[in-house]
Amino acid sequence: MLWLVAQAAVTDLALRKIPNVLVVSGLALALAVQLLAEPAAPGHACWRWLTGLLAGFFLLLPLYLLRGMAAGDVKLMAMVGAFVGASAAVDVALLTYLLGAPLALLTLLWQAWRGGAGWTAVGQLARNLWRLLQPWLGRLVGLPLAPLPRAAIASVGGMPYGVAIALATAAVVAWPHR
């Protein structure tokens, strides 16, 4: 699993893409590992695999729906969940969120420092955050939610979340062995 997430991180850094073949082969390997870990209870092993897969998938799905990450990142997290189970998938996802935000900001600032449209992207990021938080902040002060659909938010560029997922996975797996 660690080799697979490391490969995904490298590929995500280089190509801004996580190959489906990596995720699908990882899912098959995860099922095999679960079955080998509990040969006397194949039903329990399959259940652990499935619940981990679903937990990993649904924990990152909101960021995908908000256009904060790509589908490959969500599929990679589903693969990680299939390996580690639902409980550890929650830990990996939370740590991914904690690591992903600063990595995204550093990526954006690096692009801005190198020139190009980076500083424009920083402004767009601020506008996007405001548009995302505005309904929640309004709700906090008692304003009703707007019934009209909101306009699409422009992306400020891709962040290799595969790196955050790989780092979080390695940390969660290594933590008990410290």
Side-chain angles (χ1 to χ4, degrees):
M1 173 189 60
L2 292 177
W3 180 85
L4 289 168
V5 294
Q7 180 62 45
V10 168
T11 307
D12 201 12
L13 272 172
L15 305 174
R16 292 294 197 264
K17 207 172 172 166
I18 297 172
N20 285 335
V21 67
L22 188 137
V23 174
V24 171
S25 60
L27 287 170
L29 185 59
L31 180 58
V33 166
Q34 294 293 356
L35 289 169
L36 287 172
E38 295 189 61
H44 186 266
C46 289
W47 181 250
R48 179 176 161 84
W49 177 83
L50 180 63
T51 57
L53 183 150
L54 292 173
F57 178 80
F58 284 110
L59 285 165
L60 292 192
L61 187 62
L63 267 183
Y64 170 74
L65 294 174
L66 290 171
R67 298 181 57 190
M69 69 175 40
D73 302 317
V74 178
K75 292 182 278 187
L76 178 64
M77 186 61 215
M79 183 201 75
V80 169
F83 270 104
V84 300
S87 178
V90 171
D91 295 338
V92 173
L94 290 174
L95 193 53
T96 296
Y97 282 138
L98 290 173
L99 293 172
L103 283 174
L105 189 56
L106 286 173
T107 300
L108 189 63
L109 291 173
W110 173 257
Q111 291 170 352
W113 181 73
R114 284 185 33 217
W119 292 114
T120 305
V122 172
Q124 184 64 46
L125 173 67
R127 287 188 293 280
N128 288 353
L129 287 174
W130 173 247
R131 288 181 62 200
L132 287 172
L133 293 175
Q134 195 174 11
W136 295 345
L137 294 173
R139 197 73 177 129
L140 283 174
V141 296
L143 297 175
L145 290 176
L148 300 174
R150 300 175 62 85
I153 296 176
S155 175
V156 295
M159 197 297 255
Y161 264 96
V163 174
I165 294 169
L167 290 172
T169 301
V172 168
V173 168
W175 183 256
H177 306 290
R178 64 189 187 293

